[in-house]
Each structure stands twice: as C-alpha cells, then as structure tokens.
Amino acid sequence: MQAKQRYFTLLSAGACLVLLFYLGGLQLSASRSRRERGAEHRRNGPPPRGASVGEQPWPRFPDALLPFIPWEQAESEDYNGQGSPRQKRDANSSVYKGKRCRMESCFDFSLCKRNGFKVYTYPQQKGDKISESYQNILSAIEGSRYYTSDPSQACLFILSLDTLDRDQLSPQYVHNLKSKVQNLHLWNNGRNHLIFNLYSGTWPDYTEDVGFDIGQAMLAKASISADNFRPNFDVSIPLFSKDHPRTGGEKGFLRFNTIPPIRKYMLVFKGKRYLTGIGSDTRNALYHVHNGEDVVLLTTCKHGKDWQKHKDARCDRDNTEYEKYDYREMLHNATFCLVPRGRRLGSFRFLEALQAACVPVMLSNGWELPFSEVIDWNQAAVIGDERLLLQIPSTIRSIHQDRILALRQQTQFLWEAYFSSVEKIVLTTLEIIQDRIFKHISRNSLIWNKHPGGLFVLPQYSSYLGDFPYYYANLGVKSPTKFTAVIHAVTPLVSQSQPILKLLVAVAKSQYCHQIIVLWNCDKPLPAKHRWPATAVPVIVIEGESKVMSSRFLPYENIVTDAVLSLDEDTVLSTTEVDFAFTVWQSFPERIVGYPARSHFWDSTKERWGYTSKWTNDYSMVLTGAAIYHKYYHYLYTNYLPASLKSMVDQLANCEDILINFLVSAVTKLPPIKVTQKKQYKETMMGQTSRASRWADPDHFAQRQTCMNTFASWFGYMPLIHSQMRLDPVLFKDQVSILRKKYRDIERL
C-alpha cells in the first residue's frame, strides 16, 4: 500500500513539472514575439492608423514623466486602463478630475507674462446667494493691487459664485453650481481659475468632492488631504469661521516672553466626540491620555439632534467633565494645544491655537497643512501621529524650554503675517501662485518664515536679501555707510537767504552724505544751476512727478544708497544733528529715525483716532520732514499701498508722512525712533510761521485727523505703536569740557 502511494506522489510531481515547463515555454515565445515585433517596428516605422492593440509598438512611459503628459491624455480612459477597478472609479469621479494637473500642463503662463499678475473676479449676478465669508474673499481681492476689472488683462480668474460650502446639508450650499459654472463664457474648462472652498462632502462620508467638475482649475481648499492635494498647483488654506475679520485682525496673545515658557497646562483639548460616522476614532481615544491635571483632553457627546440615541456608556461622565473647564481659560494657559481631526481633516482649533501662542500638536494624519508650500510648520507646531496617541504626552514633555519658546514666538509671527484676517489668507494664496509663475524672482523659505514675512517683502524690488533691511543681521551685512538726502521743495527760489540753501550746505558737510536730491514740486520753473550753492557732494535737481505729495516717496533711480534722509525745505538742522541721526539709524535700519515726533490717541468721546502734535515723552510717529529710513520703503509705499490712499494724500497735499509711518510700523511691528536735537529746536522747527508753509493752513490739523482714521480703516487696525525711547548723544548732559563731546553742537543754545 505504501509503495502505491509513493508511485502516485512521484507521478503527480512529474506531471506538475511538465505543466510548468509548458507554460514557461509559452511565455518565452510570447516575449520573443514581442521583441521581434519591436525590432520590425524600428526597421519599418510605426504601423498605420487603426492597427490592432496587440501590435501597438509604443512603450509605456515611466511615472517620472506623468506631469508632462497632456491633461486630456492623462484623463483619458485608455491611460487609466491598467489600474484597479477602484482606481478607475476614483479617476472618473469628480473628486479626482484633473488630479494630474500641474502648472506646466493646466495653466496658461502667457496671460501673466503679457500683463503681469492681475486677478479678475466675475461680476456678481442678481439673485446669487453669497455668504459673508465669500464676500470678504472677493472684497480682499478687489481691494488688492492685483485686481483688474478688465478680463482681457487678467492672469487669474475668481468665480463670483459662492463655492466655500459644498456640504449639501448646509444652508449656504449653492444649487445647480455645475451648470452655472459651465455657462461662464470665460470658464475655458477652468484653466487659470482659482476656486476657494472651506467645506466639501456631506454626512456620513465627508469626502472632498466639491460637487461639480472643476476642470483644470486650481483649488484653494481647507482640510485637503495629501492624497488629493496637487503639489505646486493647489493651495491648502486654513479653515476659518464666518466671524474671522476681513482685514487687520487681532494680534497674537503672546505679550511677554516668560522664562521658563511653561503655562498652567501642558496639553489641552476641548471639543466634540463623534459617536457615529467618520472622524470618531481619534477623539474617542483621548480619554486614555487625559489626567485632569496638566493634560486636560475633554470631549462631549452632547451635540446634534440625535446624540442621545447613539450615546455610549462614557458619554455622561465625559459631558460632566467637559462642563468643568472654560475653553478660553484653557487655551490661554496651555503650552500645547491638541489639534485632532474632526469630521474633516481641518479644525477651527488650528487658528485658535496659533493666535493664543499655544503650540499646535497636529493629530490629523494626511492633512496637507495650510500654505505648506512655503511655511515650515516644524518651526511652529508639533506634527504628531494618530497611531501614536499615547506617546504624545511624553513626547512634548521632552521638548526643551528654549525650543518651546521658539515655537511659541513663531506661532505669533505666522498668525499675524498670514492668518489673522481673511485678507491675509487671500493675499498669501495669491502671492504663492505669483511665485510659481515668476520663479526667477520667487521668495525663498527664509523670507516666508522670518519677520516681516512674504507679504511685505516684494521680490520685484530685488532678488538679493541683502537689499532688504530686515536681513542684515542674518546675512552678516553691515548697515550702509552713506545716505542720499532728498529735500522736498514746494516754494520758488527767490532769495539766497532761504532756509533750503542753508539746509543744503549743512547736509552737504556731513561725512556720511553721498549726494543730495532736490525734488522740485514747485509750480515755478527749475532755478538755474548757479542759484544753488557749491557743495562737496553732487546736488541733483529733479522735477516731481505730477507735482503731488506722494512723489516724494517714489523709488527714484537717482537714489543709489540704501539710506534716505528725507527733509522738508524749511527744516532747520545742523551737520552735527544729521551725523548723529544717521549713526543711530545704522543700528536700526528697518525703522524710521528722526527728529520731529507726533502721537496718536483714541478719542473715546468721538470714538475715533486722534492726532496730537504736543511735545510729550510719548510718541508714535517721526515725521519725514527730518527723518532717515531705508529706500525700500519708497518702493513699498509706491507698489504696496492702494491707489485710494495715495490719491487722498495727493488731493489734500497732506498726510504723506503719516501714511509712511503707518506702513513702516505695520511692516516692522515696532515704533519709530526719536533722536534729540538742539535746545532751541522748538515746535516751530518746521517753519510753521512761513506764509507759504502748509503748516499755517487752519484745515491742516483737521485733515490729519481724518487721514488717521481713513488709514486705520484700510489697514484694519491701528499699526502705530507708542514709545518713550529717545536717543541722545553720549555725554550729552555730562558736566565735562565741550571739546570732549563728539556731538558738541547739539548742546549749544
């Protein structure tokens, strides 16, 4: 019996070997046949149109070439033919339409190269329902320097149809969006269009489907997953509430850099726990980490209409614990804030934590973090893993105090630079897209992740960081050693004893003066060259553009030094005062440094900002009648500020000095610096007694009050900062010989 079994086993094994050899021979034959057909193709060229699929000679390109395949081909059924059935369904669903789109394949660069980066918003149609949040987005674009009302000049197009909330259960959901979009005459299958979206999908799956075919359009989307995010094409934006400020926004809550930077709580969270559907797993497990002391992670089941139908054994205990703590108190007294996924990947707590200087601990696997293309989130957040929830407390406890302080400081910078208002979120999105289009002048990581941020550093000014005053210390660049004086002249030259001629001589004697530019904004013709005094430095006289006030801040090519000494024609300054002010500015090259100081205040009776010229220890502005600053602010004034503010300045022939103080304080988040002057340098230094002086105008002061409030309204907040610091020369008041003092003339009466 055993012998029969052995024979049967051997026979079966032999049969299997024969079968394997037979099948192997068929595969070798098929492979050889394909090679022969390939060789024949190389000899004879491609087969005629209509040849059978089995004879197709074209090789399949490797994955590295996928972004360069035309969009139409990439989306064709043939291209996806070898994927799994699930991949085929995904590829044909509206979520994945245009998944392989990149700037090179789905964006027309020629529109931008012809007219620059201009953005067009479709006109709103009667009857279209638009949420307040989307209206704020459109207003931010239309109020920006990129906006154009002419579609033929546009590089980027924004829909007037509200696409923010694509949850079908939401009252903000816009129906029939598919047909409305397709009927737009400029739609062009979405090419060069940008679509904003905060919510997508609906219960119970909450997919990222926006409910219509976006074609080749880019998405500026919240809660977008890394799987669906198209790198260097889409833009991940933060989820913000309907109450998020349109402009300005509150400052971050970090008031003092406390050492050590440890707060009452180490880690906090307070939010909903989802009993059913997507997003429940992570929050359901938080109770394992909660200790009720320095780690306080609270969830509640008490939300929605049917929560009691689905409540579990832990709901009542969780709800009771949840009510014991105040969310705001926790937020402002915690070192780390947990930011777990909700129904969607994003959460309102992300922005709330940033503002509160509570370091976000991200617990949302697969979420493409907001503006990840330019922001290094490792400098401001802890990126956790949902699968390692139990290790989160020990991980954050191991972070050194120095590192915690740096993380908290970076949260404040990012909040104020990019997230504190809808306007900043929108402008950051547009700037990222602009950098993709004009790569040769795009901003680098240092600019985006270091003060003052990408919105205030315009790459069109220079591609070298050393040309911006904010990076001198980082690059080891020394402050400029020379300045260019720009004297604003508005009265005709009729006498050789006029203040402007005395000012010219005094400034020209400064050891730091490179040249003097007289900006002739007078209606009378330019004086003859012999009327100007002979000086050791060049004196260039140029006519102001259109004779308006804003022309004094134009980025003139004649200004070859980084430092600018701005002067009014009737300013009274000695050479010693000029030298001292410049040496002070060399230590503060990003600020305005000068002599005449003014201040602002809040008038509670009139509920508006007030302007005062009283000489007190407190000030918030240094007027440009005698001030030094970096010439980049000329470029920023001309190209960053809206035409409406500059037109107001030009119509009033007033307030240009206030406006540039607003701008510099908004950029630096710092006050200007006042330096001391001679004892006889009284409030009349600006020549207020002169008949031709604008300071003699009785409406001048009232106009400046109006300017203050108009400027604050545009910025969305009051950027001016009060200071009581005044820098005096060394030994200024010491009882020593006057000959031992470097700036001896300042003390003389």
Side-chain angles (χ1 to χ4, degrees), residues 273-277 280 284 301 303 307 310-312 315 343:
R273 179 160 68 87
Y274 302 106
L275 300 172
T276 60
S280 60
N284 275 343
C301 309
H303 59 88
W307 72 272
H310 305 285
K311 64 185 294 188
D312 55 24
C315 275
R343 293 294 196 190

Side-chain angles (χ1 to χ4, degrees), residues 395-413:
T395 299
I396 61 176
R397 290 184 199 278
S398 67
I399 300 176
H400 195 272
Q401 293 180 1
D402 293 347
R403 176 65 177 159
I404 292 174
L405 180 59
L407 289 168
R408 292 181 62 194
Q409 290 173 333
Q410 189 68 359
T411 63
Q412 300 302 274
F413 160 65

Side-chain angles (χ1 to χ4, degrees), residues 328-341:
R328 290 291 171 186
E329 189 272 336
M330 291 170 56
L331 190 67
H332 294 182
N333 291 281
T335 305
F336 295 91
C337 286
L338 198 67
V339 185
R341 73 168 69 216

